[in-house]
Amino acid sequence: MTTSRTGVDAERFVRDGFAVIPGFKAAGEIAALRARAAEIVDAFDPAKASGIFSTRDESTKNDDYFLGSGTTIRCFFEEEAFDEHGALRQPKALSINKIGHAMHDLDPVFEAFSHGEALDAVVRALGLAEPRVYQSMYIFKQPHIGGEVGWHQDATYFATEPETVTTFWFALERADRNNGCLWVEPGGHRGPLRERFSVGNAGPHLERLDPAPWPSGGAVPIEVESGTLVVFHGLLPHYSAPNRSPVSRHAYTLHAVDGRARYASGNWLQRPKEFPARGFV
Ligand code: FE2
């Protein structure tokens, strides 16, 4: 009954912690974003950067390349991109894990995809009165070597008081169990925040806040067609398996918080005054 013309069922979102909106983005918009991502990767010189992304090895997050990426556009390699001699196993275009984290503000093609009335209507239907989009990520989930992203909650990385971070996950290709789709624990957003990643005087660190285990059963795969928007609560536990299939699984994500909430000074991604996080319109 609460599925408005935004396509989002707000009541179900409150119950399950996520909502799936098929056909949110048109094929032409997706093609434009994919083409622009390919150009960014093509222009990327691996000799100038390290940046292997892994959620399993927190030390990789500690390097300046990652921590300095919140206000710019950088490419990160898959963990398995390199062989034992340090050479790429696959061509560069098939070795990049993701691009992050400010394309939505800095690149015109990404900016167009990341803004508009339709997105604004969704975020408002979910109760974020002053949405602020802090982060964008283009995730490749490459064929054969696409890495696992272990169970986590996105609020771990975007603390606000109260918790408001909301994730927008756009399928840029079909995502299914074969190529590493999202898995979520329906209703799991009503559980505790388990971990907090923050940057302080002691450097970046991941702190265990609650001993609650990650889901061992009851998780469901979110198998969706290209163009689908999956929006989920910052406390919703989710993961995605490695991609061992010959098919990629491109996705694009945005993370928004409510500007009325206090954004933690310990969050790794900080926006300077002259480059503030903006809303969807
Ligand atoms: Fe996540």
Side-chain angles (χ1 to χ4, degrees), residues 187-248:
H189 63 301
R190 286 181 255 119
L193 179 64
R194 292 161 176 79
E195 299 172 315
R196 178 81 80 205
F197 180 76
S198 57
V199 181
N201 293 335
H205 63 285
L206 189 69
E207 178 191 0
R208 190 78 188 182
L209 300 178
D210 193 288
W214 294 111
S216 54
V220 299
I222 308 292
E223 296 189 297
V224 294
E225 298 299 330
S226 182
T228 301
L229 168 60
V230 183
V231 56
F232 54 93
H233 191 283
L235 291 175
L236 185 74
H238 59 285
Y239 92 103
S240 65
N243 182 8
R244 300 301 179 205
S245 85
V247 184
S248 60

Side-chain angles (χ1 to χ4, degrees), residues 137 149-150 152-154 157 167 169 182 232 236 238-239 255:
M137 291 196 289
V149 178
H152 68 281
Q153 296 159 295
D154 288 353
Y157 302 95
T167 305
W169 190 101
L182 276 177
F232 54 93
L236 185 74
H238 59 285
Y239 92 103
H255 286 88

Side-chain angles (χ1 to χ4, degrees), residues 103 135-139 167-170 232 251-255:
M103 298 88 75
Q135 173 179 271
S136 47
M137 291 196 289
Y138 189 107
I139 302 161
T167 305
F168 294 77
W169 190 101
F170 303 88
F232 54 93
Y252 178 60
T253 66
L254 296 168
H255 286 88

